[in-house]
C-alpha cells in the first residue's frame, strides 16, 4: 500500500487533483478547511523533493495530494488513493463544499499593544486559534522580531519559518484573548495598519535621516553597527503587505531607500517610494 501512496503522490499533481474541488489561481486558493478563508492564504507549492503540497496560512492545515482528498472527502487515505488512481473525482466546479472543519478564528482577538503582564513569547508554545492546538515552531524558525508602537509598546512578533520541504513564510504572532478570557500568544494577525519595525526610534528623533531597509535582518545588522546618525526601519512581509503597513510616519522625513539584492525588493521599494513621496502616504 505504501508503494501505491508514493506512486500517487508522485504521479498526480495536487494542482490538477485539487482543482476538481476548489478553484486555484496562480497556486493560491480559498482554503476549504476553515471558515472565512482569504484567497491568498491557501498555497499550493512544489517543495525541494518536487512533490506538490498545500499549506494554509490561517488554519495551518498541510499535506500532499492524498491527504487533501482524504480530508475534503472525509475518507481514509487508502480510499483517497483509489479515488485519485481511478479518476473518481468530481467534475471541476461541481463540488459543493460542506461546512469546513475549523471555525475558531473569530473567538480569539489580538490585544494591541500586548499588556505588560503578558509573558515573553516562547516559540514552542504558539497557539493556533483556528484549530485550537498548541504548535512548536522551534524546528522551523530562522528568525523572530518584535514590532513596537510609537511609544515602544510591543504590538506583535514576526516569525520567519522554513519548513522541511523548503516552503518559507513570515507570520505574525499576537497576544490574544480567547472565548473564556484565557490569553495566549497566537498565530493571528492584528488588524492593519501594521507599524514599521523601528517606529519608536523613528518618532523619538524627527531630525534624523531614515534608512528604509528591505528586511529585519538588514535592520538588525544596521542597528548592531550603527553610529546613531540615522534611524533604520523596515516593514513586515513583502509586496503583499505594503498596503497593510502604516507609511504615514515616513512622510516629510529624509529617507534613504536601500534595496536588498532582489528584484522583488526593488519593486517593493519603488511602490513604497511612491506611497511616501508622491501620494504622501494617502494623506493627500
Ligand atoms: Zn485553512
Amino acid at each position: 500500500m505504501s508503494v501505491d501512496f508514493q506512486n500517487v503522490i508522485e504521479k498526480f499533481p495536487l494542482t490538477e487533483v485539487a482543482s476538481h474541488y476548489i478553484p486555484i489561481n496562480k497556486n493560491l486558493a480559498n482554503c476549504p478547511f476553515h471558515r472565512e478563508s482569504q484567497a491568498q492564504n491557501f498555497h499550493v507549492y512544489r517543495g525541494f523533493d518536487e512533490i506538490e503540497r498545500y499549506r494554509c496560512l490561517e488554519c495551518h492545515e498541510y499535506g500532499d495530494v492524498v491527504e487533501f482528498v482524504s480530508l475534503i472527502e472525509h475518507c481514509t487515505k487508502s480510499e483517497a488513493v483509489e479515488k485519485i488512481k481511478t479518476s473518481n473525482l468530481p467534475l471541476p466546479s461541481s463540488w459543493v463544499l460542506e461546512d469546513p472543519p475549523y471555525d475558531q478564528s473569530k473567538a480569539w482577538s489580538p490585544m494591541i499593544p500586548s499588556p505588560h503582564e503578558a509573558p515573553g513569547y516562547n516559540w514552542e508554545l504558539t497557539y493556533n486559534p483556528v484549530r485550537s492546538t498548541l504548535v512548536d515552531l522551534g524546528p522551523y524558525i530562522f528568525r523572530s522580531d518584535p514590532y513596537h508602537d510609537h511609544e515602544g509598546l510591543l504590538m506583535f512578533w514576526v516569525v520567519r519559518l522554513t519548513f522541511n520541504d523548503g516552503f518559507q513564510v513570515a507570520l505574525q504572532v499576537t497576544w490574544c484573548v480567547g472565548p473564556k478570557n484565557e490569553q495566549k500568544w497566537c498565530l493571528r494577525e492584528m488588524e492593519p495598519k501594521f507599524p514599521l519595525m523601528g517606529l519608536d526610534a523613528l518618532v523619538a528623533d524627527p531630525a534624523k535621516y531614515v534608512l528604509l531597509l528591505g528586511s529585519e535582518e538588514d535592520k538588525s545588522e544596521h542597528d548592531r553597527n550603527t553610529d546613531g546618525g540615522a534611524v533604520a526601519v523596515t516593514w513586515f512581509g513583502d509586496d503583499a503587505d505594503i498596503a497593510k503597513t502604516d507609511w504615514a510616519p515616513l512622510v516629510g522625513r529624509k529617507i534613504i531607500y536601500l534595496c536588498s539584492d532582489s528584484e522583488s525588493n526593488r519593486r517593493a521599494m519603488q511602490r513604497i517610494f511612491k506611497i511616501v513621496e508622491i501620494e504622501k502616504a494617502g494623506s493627500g
Side-chain angles (χ1 to χ4, degrees):
M1 186 51 75
S2 67
V3 174
D4 254 10
F5 271 96
Q6 197 55 33
N7 270 339
V8 163
I9 289 166
E10 284 171 10
K11 291 204 179 111
F12 295 84
L14 173 63
T15 316
E16 214 300 289
V17 172
S19 67
H20 287 260
Y21 298 89
I22 54 171
I24 301 178
N25 183 16
K26 292 181 182 161
N27 299 325
L28 295 172
N30 284 89
C31 176
F33 304 128
H34 76 272
R35 232 174 273 278
E36 294 180 26
S37 167
Q38 293 175 28
Q40 68 268 31
N41 283 336
F42 187 84
H43 291 247
V44 178
Y45 62 96
R46 193 178 291 271
F48 289 143
D49 55 5
E50 295 297 312
I51 304 287
E52 279 194 343
R53 293 188 180 79
Y54 60 94
R55 192 177 283 277
C56 172
L57 303 188
E58 292 175 82
C59 69
H60 301 276
E61 192 57 73
Y62 152 84
D64 55 39
V65 66
V66 172
E67 287 160 316
F68 180 88
V69 171
S70 130
L71 195 57
I72 203 163
E73 292 261 21
H74 306 288
C75 66
T76 65
K77 289 187 187 175
S78 308
E79 288 164 345
V81 163
E82 277 310 304
K83 281 180 193 293
I84 298 167
K85 265 172 42 183
T86 57
S87 293
N88 183 15
L89 302 169
L91 293 172
S93 320
S94 73
W95 180 259
V96 179
L97 280 178
E98 288 180 30
D99 274 357
Y102 310 123
D103 185 25
Q104 294 296 316
S105 56
K106 286 291 160 203
W108 289 79
S109 333
M111 298 171 79
I112 306 291
S114 54
H116 291 295
E117 62 272 20
Y121 170 50
N122 177 353
W123 306 331
E124 292 165 17
L125 300 172
T126 309
Y127 192 66
N128 175 351
V130 185
R131 291 167 69 180
S132 310
T133 51
L134 277 175
V135 281
D136 177 4
L137 299 181
Y140 315 109
I141 218 154
F142 68 88
R143 65 177 297 132
S144 62
D145 293 277
Y147 278 63
H148 298 93
D149 70 3
H150 62 287
E151 292 180 315
L153 298 173
L154 181 62
M155 300 188 84
F156 53 79
W157 283 87
V158 172
V159 291
R160 292 188 184 269
L161 310 171
T162 304
F163 294 100
N164 297 338
D165 57 17
F167 187 71
Q168 296 190 341
V169 68
L171 298 169
Q172 267 185 36
V173 177
T174 53
W175 183 252
C176 291
V177 57
K180 293 173 190 141
N181 263 335
E182 65 272 54
Q183 300 182 9
K184 293 180 200 293
W185 287 107
C186 290
L187 288 169
R188 191 126 176 80
E189 276 191 6
M190 68 174 278
E191 289 288 325
K193 303 272 184 154
F194 306 145
L196 293 164
M197 184 184 178
L199 178 64
D200 44 341
L202 176 77
V203 298
D205 205 336
K208 273 189 183 166
Y209 268 93
V210 181
L211 294 179
L212 179 65
L213 298 169
S215 70
E216 290 137 356
E217 194 176 2
D218 288 352
K219 172 178 158 44
S220 303
E221 179 71 17
H222 171 269
D223 290 349
R224 268 195 300 278
N225 302 314
T226 187
D227 58 0
V231 52
V233 296
T234 189
W235 76 100
F236 163 60
D238 45 30
D239 264 20
D241 296 289
I242 289 177
K244 294 185 187 172
T245 298
D246 181 10
W247 298 103
L250 290 183
V251 173
R253 300 290 296 251
K254 298 185 187 98
I255 305 166
I256 299 166
Y257 295 80
L258 280 179
C259 307
S260 60
D261 202 14
S262 80
E263 190 48 40
S264 69
N265 196 239
R266 213 184 316 280
R267 277 200 309 272
M269 285 290 181
Q270 282 166 354
R271 280 185 59 199
I272 297 165
F273 178 86
K274 192 164 166 255
I275 293 168
V276 174
E277 312 286 350
I278 300 169
E279 297 166 9
K280 309 285 186 200
S283 64

